[in-house]
Amino acid sequence: HNTAAFLGGGAVTGAAVTVTGGEFDSNNAFGAGGLLVGDSQVASVTGTSFTNNTSTGANFGGGAILSGGQLAVKDSTFTGNTADGSSGAGGAIYSGSTNDNVTTSLKIDSSLISGNDAFSAAAIVAGSNGTGSTNKTSINNSTITGNASTGAIGALELFQQTSITGSTITDN
């Protein structure tokens, strides 16, 4: 139940971080309602629940997580997270950077992303547009369901190389 005026309502990482277990619940910020992972930083999230976190910023996102780094998520749950309903993106996760020469990746394994809301891409946005930046995404053995978008993009907005294996994407 934390609030930040700008980024990272729950936590901000400027170095490598490992999160194991626990909850990010009802945090609020302009961007990255729950967790902000800095550009090119390494972050691992395992067995963690992200519930009811909110990114309030217009044209911003990452209700639960905003990552410009190399994010690996395993055995985790994302439910009820929101990115600003009038223009926000990535209700659960926004992975990407607008800065140059940033290495960004998103790996999701054995996780549930359900009941998140955003204007665009209610579950995940993945893509970097800075010069020389990269962004690779993989979604394995995960379920993405019941996410609601008020804009043109439903659950996923994936701009660069993506692999989806053994996952269920339904009712978004």
Side-chain angles (χ1 to χ4, degrees), residues 62-140:
I65 299 176
L66 174 60
S67 174
Q70 299 164 45
L71 175 62
V73 174
K74 186 172 184 176
D75 299 323
S76 295
T77 303
F78 296 81
T79 56
N81 300 289
T82 301
D84 176 62
S86 64
S87 63
I93 300 170
Y94 191 112
S95 172
S97 179
T98 59
N99 294 323
D100 294 343
N101 303 310
V102 175
T103 301
T104 304
S105 63
L106 174 62
K107 297 178 183 176
I108 298 175
D109 188 24
S110 304
S111 294
L112 172 65
I113 301 173
S114 176
N116 301 286
D117 298 299
F119 173 74
S120 179
I124 299 169
V125 172
S128 294
N129 59 9
T131 302
S133 291
T134 61
N135 191 319
K136 294 180 183 177
T137 300
S138 65
I139 302 169
N140 300 304

Side-chain angles (χ1 to χ4, degrees), residues 89-94 106 108 113-114 116 118-127 137-140 142-149 151-160 162-165 167-172:
I93 300 170
Y94 191 112
L106 174 62
I108 298 175
I113 301 173
S114 176
N116 301 286
F119 173 74
S120 179
I124 299 169
V125 172
T137 300
S138 65
I139 302 169
N140 300 304
S142 295
T143 300
I144 300 170
T145 186
N147 299 285
S149 168
I153 309 288
L156 305 173
E157 188 171 16
L158 309 166
F159 290 98
Q160 288 148 336
T162 302
S163 167
I164 300 173
T165 307
S167 296
T168 300
I169 302 170
T170 186
D171 296 325
N172 294 288

